[in-house]
Amino acid sequence: MLNIAGVKKGFQVGGNHIPILDIPQWKVDRGEKLAIIGPSGSGKSTLLHIISGVLRADSGEVQIDGQLLHRMTESVRDNFRAGHIGYILQDFHLIPSLTARQNVEIVMSGKMGAAERRERVDSWFERVHLADRSRHLPSQLSRGQQQRVAMIRALINEPALILADEPTGSLDWETADEVTGLLLELCRGEQHTLIVVTHDLNMADRFPKCVHISEINRINGVKRSANVREERAI
């Protein structure tokens, strides 16, 4: 599913080049569900942005489903991301003037017929227990409900790869645990590959596999956390 080789990324800060990532080799198999943990500034979010094609690596290869992202132009990467990658962010990025339903519909393919479109949206809102909230504005929903809408938006086009950047970072503990369970359940049902970046060790502990960023990024000198577990059976 995902193969990374020799990827390096840095940023210019005050005229100095600050290296962020140096990943010699990393592979994620199709259907894996894994959490990446590590301190702020260790390159976790930058790694997700490079995998998604939002950012381009300074060097190296990024391959998703046999497609070489590093060889694509920005517009081609954008189209690839729209069709193959679902992205869930901490701040949801829902359009405030649109209803929950409209925030989902806006990312759906225009080739889909009206009846199929309506049926699919209805089905997804039922699956996340928001059938009675689909026509509410984001401001009329709780933080947890807004995150569920963002999850539908990321999953509804059935992408092979789901990326989530601190998806529970702005939620209370109980809601975060509920959202984590729902996300894992939805991705297992659809056989999605799921990569989540999180500071929440309770969330990471729910995943079959947990990776500390220092295990794959040579620039990060942080020692492996005692909470990191080896892969276990789902």
Side-chain angles (χ1 to χ4, degrees):
M1 158 54 67
L2 170 66
N3 281 284
I4 289 177
V7 162
K8 295 184 178 182
K9 182 66 179 178
F11 298 99
Q12 293 296 127
V13 179
N16 297 316
H17 181 77
I18 307 298
I20 301 296
L21 291 177
D22 182 357
I23 303 177
Q25 190 76 42
W26 190 48
K27 179 181 179 182
V28 178
D29 293 329
R30 186 177 303 280
E32 273 197 281
K33 316 289 184 290
L34 66 91
I36 302 174
I37 62 172
S40 296
S42 58
K44 303 185 307 298
S45 294
T46 300
L47 175 58
L48 281 197
H49 291 335
I50 288 174
I51 293 171
S52 69
V54 171
L55 285 178
R56 190 168 190 167
D58 296 334
S59 60
E61 298 184 353
V62 178
Q63 184 176 136
I64 297 176
D65 250 354
Q67 300 296 310
L68 301 175
L69 263 67
H70 58 284
R71 294 184 180 176
M72 296 178 183
T73 64
E74 184 176 356
S75 61
V76 173
R77 289 200 312 274
D78 289 345
N79 288 332
F80 179 83
R81 181 170 57 254
H84 295 81
I85 300 172
Y87 216 146
I88 303 170
L89 299 167
Q90 176 180 341
D91 294 325
F92 319 140
H93 293 287
L94 301 178
I95 300 173
S97 60
L98 299 182
T99 65
R101 186 183 194 90
Q102 290 168 333
N103 267 282
V104 170
E105 291 173 335
I106 199 170
V107 305
M108 297 177 71
S109 171
K111 298 178 181 179
M112 192 178 299
E116 181 184 359
R117 187 187 190 91
R118 183 170 57 252
E119 182 179 343
R120 181 176 292 192
V121 173
D122 287 344
S123 173
W124 273 98
F125 273 92
E126 288 175 6
R127 291 174 72 179
V128 303
H129 314 296
L130 285 180
D132 60 341
R133 297 286 191 273
S134 68
R135 301 190 186 280
H136 286 55
L137 295 172
S139 61
Q140 298 171 316
L141 302 174
S142 70
R143 300 286 293 176
Q145 289 170 339
Q146 290 179 53
Q147 186 59 293
R148 292 187 194 188
V149 176
M151 286 164 52
I152 298 174
R153 185 180 57 191
L155 292 162
I156 198 162
N157 288 324
E158 301 179 348
L161 176 62
I162 304 296
L163 305 175
D165 192 357
E166 297 287 356
T168 62
S170 62
L171 305 178
D172 62 75
W173 182 88
E174 185 176 354
T175 304
D177 190 60
E178 183 181 338
V179 166
T180 299
L182 181 61
L183 178 59
L184 282 166
E185 177 187 340
L186 294 172
C187 287
R188 284 182 186 131
E190 301 296 327
Q191 296 298 305
H192 297 297
T193 302
L194 173 63
I195 303 174
V196 170
V197 158
T198 183
H199 285 100
D200 184 349
L201 295 181
N202 289 316
M203 179 183 195
D205 194 54
R206 299 282 299 273
F207 279 70
K209 187 174 182 180
C210 184
V211 176
H212 195 284
I213 188 67
S214 63
E215 295 180 67
I216 59 177
N217 184 15
R218 291 197 297 199
I219 291 174
N220 192 308
V222 179
K223 293 182 179 179
R224 181 172 173 169
S225 166
N227 292 286
V228 176
R229 300 167 292 109
E230 297 297 330
E231 186 172 4
R232 57 179 171 77
I234 295 178

